[in-house]
Amino acid sequence: MNRKECIFLIRLDKFISERTEFSRSELKALAKKGKISVDGTVVRSADAKIDPEKQSVTVCGKTVRAEKFRYILLNKPQGYVCSTDEKDGETVIGLVPPELRTKNLFPAGRLDKDSLGALLITDDGALAHRMLSPSNHISKIYIVKLANGFKSEYINKFKNGLMLSNGEQCLPARLRPVENCDKLVFTELFEGKYHQIKRMFAAVGDHVEVLMRISLGGLVLPDKLGIGECMELLHKDVESLFQKTDFDDFCSRFSVDFSAFHINK
């Protein structure tokens, strides 16, 4: 084996631990028990070297994916916190099925405990930093249920950039009422201040009863993804986060039936 080929080799335990919830000590024990295979052959040494691009690894009969990072879209239910610390309450990480979990998963961005909808969960810190950076101005679109009902005057107030009760200035945001429902309104933000949408509507004298995020950039919450369910994303899906969204076109095409059912129930 020449030096160029060695560059692509990685320790077996390192490869598996980066892609699962197993620790290296656990993997060492599993290897001794014959629970780890490479290309169908049992490997009893966890520090064996493998080529992740060419070889297939299984642990306890389950294949370990080759990709280093995991990207999961969750349709967040109410009552869960966007945290990795269980001291904060039931976390969104607990909603991820065991087969999709890695030890370093975290929510990229936040939704309030009582909010619903699209939330990205990943173990890719660089992607999360890129996504949350103010310089990228990723569009986030929500369906909001208001207590008092939508008023046309809200549109210009949001467009001009509202000042919150504590003096914080918000970036311009866009609104569009949902057809045939005076209490539902699409809301587009490009930032994420604490409880921002609730505080913005409070600033115009209204109250948010329910809030559901339906898109992150060009990544749209699928109708078939039920509340509390999640799906693994492909890399091309993740890149859609950074696609620009035509707000008016989005609102014209988006079916609110699925989302409105959960908001109004």
Side-chain angles (χ1 to χ4, degrees):
M1 184 178 297
N2 60 42
R3 183 176 182 276
K4 184 176 180 180
E5 289 175 325
C6 290
I7 294 174
F8 299 99
L9 299 184
I10 184 174
R11 277 179 57 126
L12 182 60
D13 55 358
K14 183 177 189 295
F15 170 82
I16 299 173
S17 67
E18 287 179 342
R19 293 159 177 80
T20 68
E21 290 191 296
F22 291 113
S23 66
R24 292 201 184 187
S25 59
E26 289 172 329
L27 291 170
K28 184 177 181 180
L30 287 171
K32 288 182 177 180
K33 294 178 181 178
K35 299 293 185 179
I36 300 177
S37 298
V38 178
D39 291 338
T41 301
V42 172
V43 176
R44 297 183 182 275
S45 177
D47 61 358
K49 298 292 183 67
I50 66 162
D51 183 340
E53 294 185 1
K54 296 179 180 179
Q55 294 180 288
S56 175
V57 177
T58 60
V59 179
C60 300
K62 294 183 178 180
T63 300
V64 180
R65 56 197 294 277
E67 293 78 13
K68 182 175 182 179
F69 297 116
R70 180 153 279 166
Y71 309 97
I72 298 166
L73 178 63
L74 169 71
N75 190 348
K76 179 189 172 297
Q78 293 175 318
Y80 289 80
V81 294
C82 292
S83 172
T84 58
D85 191 343
E86 294 181 354
K87 294 179 181 178
D88 297 328
E90 287 190 283
T91 75
V92 292
I93 303 301
L95 296 170
V96 179
E99 64 270 18
L100 292 181
R101 291 183 194 171
T102 68
K103 63 175 66 67
N104 297 317
L105 284 179
F106 64 93
R110 307 184 74 85
L111 275 174
D112 298 338
K113 184 176 181 178
D114 59 354
S115 296
L116 303 152
L119 179 70
L120 180 68
I121 296 176
T122 185
D123 51 6
D124 186 345
L127 183 281
H129 177 76
R130 179 184 170 201
M131 170 187 165
L132 300 174
S133 172
S135 62
N136 283 320
H137 297 297
I138 289 179
S139 162
K140 291 165 285 186
I141 300 177
Y142 304 77
I143 291 180
V144 182
K145 182 179 181 182
L146 299 174
N148 300 330
F150 175 77
K151 297 178 182 178
S152 58
E153 65 193 58
Y154 293 169
I155 293 178
N156 282 334
K157 290 182 177 181
F158 274 63
K159 182 179 179 180
N160 293 330
L162 282 169
M163 182 174 289
L164 303 178
S165 60
N166 66 346
E168 282 187 273
Q169 183 68 42
C170 294
L171 292 175
R174 300 187 68 183
L175 300 180
R176 177 164 167 165
V178 172
E179 291 185 10
N180 304 317
C181 186
D182 62 352
K183 288 196 173 185
L184 294 182
V185 56
F186 290 104
T187 305
E188 181 185 41
L189 295 185
F190 290 92
E191 57 183 342
K193 300 182 188 299
Y194 180 71
H195 291 323
Q196 183 168 348
I197 290 181
K198 296 174 183 177
R199 294 163 70 201
M200 290 175 80
F201 279 105
V204 296
D206 214 321
H207 173 71
V208 172
E209 292 189 337
V210 187
L211 183 152
M212 184 174 194
R213 185 159 64 197
I214 52 177
S215 80
L216 291 161
L219 183 61
V220 181
L221 188 68
D223 284 358
K224 294 181 180 180
L225 191 65
I227 294 291
E229 294 181 351
C230 62
M231 59 183 287
E232 187 169 10
L233 300 174
L234 301 175
H235 189 268
K236 63 181 180 65
D237 299 320
V238 175
E239 283 302 312
S240 68
L241 284 166
F242 305 98
Q243 294 175 358
K244 292 185 178 180
T245 303
D246 184 318
F247 179 65
D248 288 324
D249 180 63
F250 177 93
C251 296
S252 296
R253 292 185 294 104
F254 187 83
S255 170
V256 300
D257 294 344
F258 173 78
S259 300
F261 169 77
H262 293 290
I263 288 178
N264 286 314
K265 70 178 180 178

